Amino acid sequence: MSHLMSIYARIPVAFEKGEGVWLWDTTGKRYLDALAGIAVCDVGHCHPRVTQAICEQAGKLVHTSNLYEIPLQEKLAARLTEIAGMDNAFFCNSGAEANEAAIKIARLHGHQNGIDNPAIVVMENSFHGRTMATLTASGSRKVQAGFEPLVSGFVRVPYNDLAAVAQVASRNRNIVAVLVEPVQGEGGIRVPLPLPDYFHGLRRLCDDNGWLLMLDEIQSGIGRTGKWFAHQWSGVKPDVMTLAKGIASGVPLGACLARGAASQVFKPGNHGSTFGGGPLACAAALATLGVIEDEGLIANAVKMGNAIRDGLTAQLAGVRGVKQVRGLGLMVGVELDVPCGALVQSALENGLLINVTAGSVIRLLPALIIGRSEVDELVAGLSSVVKAFLAQQPAAQPAG
């Protein structure tokens, strides 16, 4: 009998060591990890520089709390704001907490400007976390069901639809911000096209209406799409940006960055975190950022992401049931025309770790260190299991 709460439908495998893009289970079987801990292990498993930084810091100091100055936190904030073009940062433990901070900034900003019932525009098919506020902000009934009453103050519109946002602006005077993922990860690796037009349009609507533009870069940030942050493909700057996942190679850390008026909203007592931005997590994050920069991993994300998409497109061309191969950098999605959760187990049996999201989208989020030989192995292995799976599906019946 397990003494764990029945929260996760876990895959029946346990791993005991990792190196680069490879994992070994407790029986010694090796797997190509095309998920990287859900976009967390950006520089691969157990990168020597990150491992050394964690070990050295653990041997000196793990925690003091935010009652005191934390030099590594100051250093990390300076580095992140430099590469992001932001003004300051708040550190927490997870993506959901980072988004909670962003939501609080938006609401407090609204109240400070005389709006008694501030509301935030959010998107269909989005995912922002599982706290009460972030699950309400998410565009998924699956994560919301059973947790009603939900939190008020959110207005939902379709993703990649500027006209819908403009319509909200014309009829709702309580809007204070827009919260959006540059690339929807849990929603099925959906990229707004053309991406620059969408974000320039959102920036313009926010500026015209006095709203904050808040970008959830938790899955798409830290080099994953071939820029430090996905929104940088558009040249637009947000007022608030949230980060987590790949920031510290698996040591829990989240961040909420802000600039301009948004950076001055919080004052002492408005927000906080006991564990957020501790010395251990910040040491891991600084080492991770250093590896990404020094090893050219952002450029590698573009090159290898293109190779994965091109390879899968070629291998799956003409295969009945494959709708689209899409993505940006090393966020790759393969959409099928049927639910395909069973593919996770099939891939596992073939030594490949993948994920299925939005019911019918195979999601690939490999480490930024992945090389061409590993890409070729990934493309061949995934193509094989997808073809075998689709061959077993009944043919679609003609309409009418």
Side-chain angles (χ1 to χ4, degrees):
M1 173 183 173
S2 174
H3 295 282
L4 294 169
M5 288 189 182
S6 298
I7 291 174
Y8 306 104
R10 285 196 165 105
I11 300 164
V13 64
F15 301 105
E16 64 178 13
K17 71 173 184 176
E19 182 179 344
V21 298
W22 302 98
L23 283 169
W24 285 262
D25 70 15
T26 51
T27 71
K29 181 179 177 179
R30 189 177 78 157
Y31 300 80
L32 176 57
D33 184 1
L35 193 57
I38 317 179
V40 167
C41 303
D42 270 8
V43 299
H45 297 284
C46 302
H47 191 286
R49 280 178 58 179
V50 178
T51 299
Q52 182 181 2
I54 292 171
C55 290
E56 288 181 356
Q57 188 58 46
K60 291 191 292 187
L61 184 66
V62 172
H63 177 76
T64 61
S65 90
N66 282 295
L67 293 174
Y68 313 104
E69 293 181 358
I70 303 174
L72 285 174
Q73 187 181 114
E74 292 280 356
K75 185 176 180 181
L76 178 59
R79 184 72 185 106
L80 285 172
T81 54
E82 176 190 16
I83 61 179
M86 305 294 274
D87 293 336
N88 56 22
F90 163 76
F91 293 104
C92 48
N93 309 286
S94 68
E97 289 178 56
N99 281 332
E100 283 277 349
I103 291 166
K104 289 180 72 173
I105 286 173
R107 288 191 170 195
L108 188 53
H109 174 72
H111 283 288
Q112 290 171 350
N113 285 277
I115 298 176
D116 293 333
N117 296 293
I120 299 170
V121 176
V122 293
M123 307 298 154
E124 294 176 1
N125 301 312
S126 62
F127 182 82
H128 299 294
R130 293 181 182 274
T131 63
M132 285 305 301
T134 59
L135 71 83
T136 303
S138 297
S140 167
R141 275 302 298 159
K142 182 178 179 181
V143 303
Q144 295 170 346
F147 297 107
E148 296 83 359
L150 302 178
V151 177
S152 62
F154 296 97
V155 177
R156 199 170 313 282
V157 299
Y159 187 61
N160 197 22
D161 188 339
L162 290 173
V165 182
Q167 187 176 40
V168 169
S170 69
R171 67 172 189 258
N172 191 326
R173 298 304 172 189
N174 290 322
I175 302 298
V176 295
V178 173
L179 175 61
V180 59
E181 298 158 280
V183 179
Q184 287 191 334
E186 301 295 327
I189 311 295
R190 301 194 179 277
V191 184
L193 296 173
L195 185 148
D197 291 0
Y198 184 51
F199 284 96
H200 278 283
L202 288 177
R203 180 73 272 175
R204 184 172 57 253
L205 283 165
C206 287
D207 290 343
D208 289 348
N209 291 281
W211 303 342
L212 301 179
L213 177 58
M214 309 198 303
L215 300 185
D216 178 342
E217 290 262 17
I218 288 161
Q219 192 166 140
S220 60
I222 315 297
R224 178 146 295 277
T225 68
K227 298 283 188 182
W228 274 114
F229 312 107
H231 72 268
Q232 290 174 332
W233 287 104
S234 71
V236 165
K237 280 189 178 181
D239 301 295
V240 178
M241 176 173 66
T242 56
L243 303 169
K245 290 196 179 291
I247 195 172
S249 295
V251 179
L253 184 67
C256 179
L257 277 60
R259 72 178 182 98
S263 70
Q264 302 303 312
V265 170
F266 279 158
K267 298 295 186 289
N270 288 144
H271 199 45
S273 171
T274 297
F275 296 108
L280 187 70
C282 289
L286 286 164
T288 300
L289 296 178
V291 170
I292 292 172
E293 187 168 50
D294 295 345
E295 296 187 7
L297 298 185
I298 294 177
N300 194 60
V302 175
K303 186 177 180 180
M304 295 301 108
N306 288 340
I308 292 171
R309 287 190 298 278
D310 289 348
L312 289 172
T313 298
Q315 288 290 325
L316 299 174
V319 175
R320 178 180 58 84
V322 177
K323 293 180 67 175
Q324 187 181 33
V325 178
R326 59 175 178 258
L328 188 64
L330 285 172
M331 294 184 75
V332 179
V334 181
E335 185 175 7
L336 307 185
D337 65 0
V338 292
C340 58
L343 274 171
V344 174
Q345 183 64 35
S346 299
L348 182 75
E349 292 167 1
N350 285 273
L352 180 60
L353 303 182
I354 63 168
N355 174 245
V356 169
T357 190
S360 59
V361 180
I362 302 161
R363 177 171 53 167
L364 305 176
L365 302 164
L368 275 54
I369 62 167
I370 194 168
R372 186 57 199 242
S373 64
E374 296 150 344
V375 163
D376 290 344
E377 186 168 340
L378 166 58
V379 168
L382 182 60
S383 298
S384 177
V385 297
V386 168
K387 289 175 182 176
F389 171 78
L390 290 173
Q392 297 172 358
Q393 304 303 308
Q397 296 299 313

